[in-house]
Amino acid sequence: FQGEEWAASTPWPFFTSHPEPELGEAVRKGRTEEFSRMGWDPALVPDPQDPATFTRAKLNWDEVGEGEHGRLLALYRALARLRRERPELTDPASAEASAVLVAGDDPARRVWELGRGSLHILVNLSADDAEFALAADADVLLVTGAGVAVVEGVLRLPAESAAIVS
């Protein structure tokens, strides 16, 4: 939504264009009060009636294929492709999707394995590398970043990354 699939740098503020001045003012006042209750400086709350608030929200389409933006978009596309191809990711009636396995050796470590059917989603949200034993016939379908390595049946997953294995 609004460029999320490619980490758009554009902010997504709430904006309105109420032609009735009293309605526009009520919305402006309500937003300021709402954000003030959350600790925001009222001077920093974007004015929803200001046309500049809308203008700042327009996506910068030039960045969609650049650097990290392009990498994240490619990941979203690969995930969407896998979702179309693998019934265990979408069809709750599928035998492959009926059971979900979740395993982690230590919740504080933030390393998990989720299994659904023949798929295993390996997640490493820790600051260190993590290792996962793989079956001999395992196929790595997707990785979220560089540095993933499979050596002698062990998948090494760098910090803050994930892989999907069949």
Side-chain angles (χ1 to χ4, degrees):
F1 175 75
Q2 189 60 23
E4 178 184 4
E5 69 277 14
W6 46 276
S9 63
T10 314
W12 180 239
F14 177 76
F15 52 85
T16 58
S17 61
H18 296 297
E20 306 87 355
E22 63 281 354
L23 182 54
E25 185 54 36
V27 170
R28 180 182 295 117
K29 182 179 179 211
R31 294 293 288 181
T32 301
E33 289 172 3
E34 177 184 358
F35 280 86
S36 292
R37 285 192 303 269
M38 293 185 284
W40 281 50
D41 177 350
L44 299 178
V45 177
D47 179 354
Q49 282 289 111
D50 184 350
T53 302
F54 168 74
T55 301
R56 283 191 303 275
K58 289 187 176 184
L59 291 172
N60 175 5
W61 289 97
D62 292 337
E63 71 185 6
V64 74
E66 297 175 354
E68 286 300 305
H69 301 289
R71 187 193 67 75
L72 187 58
L73 180 59
L75 176 60
Y76 265 76
R77 287 178 173 163
L79 288 166
R81 178 187 48 77
L82 272 178
R83 192 164 185 243
R84 280 190 310 272
E85 294 173 356
R86 303 302 296 244
E88 59 262 61
L89 292 175
T90 57
D91 183 2
S94 165
E96 292 86 18
S98 61
V100 175
L101 157 79
V102 179
D105 57 357
D106 177 2
R109 189 167 169 246
R110 301 176 48 180
V111 175
W112 298 277
E113 177 178 354
L114 300 102
R116 192 162 186 182
S118 64
L119 292 184
H120 294 268
I121 301 163
L122 311 174
V123 180
N124 179 11
L125 299 179
S126 76
D128 303 309
D129 290 356
E131 292 185 345
F132 297 86
L134 296 182
D137 61 346
D139 185 22
V140 178
L141 303 175
L142 181 137
V143 295
T144 62
V148 174
V150 178
V151 178
E152 298 179 7
V154 175
L155 183 136
R156 185 180 55 76
L157 200 55
E160 299 185 3
S161 64
I164 299 177
V165 177
S166 175

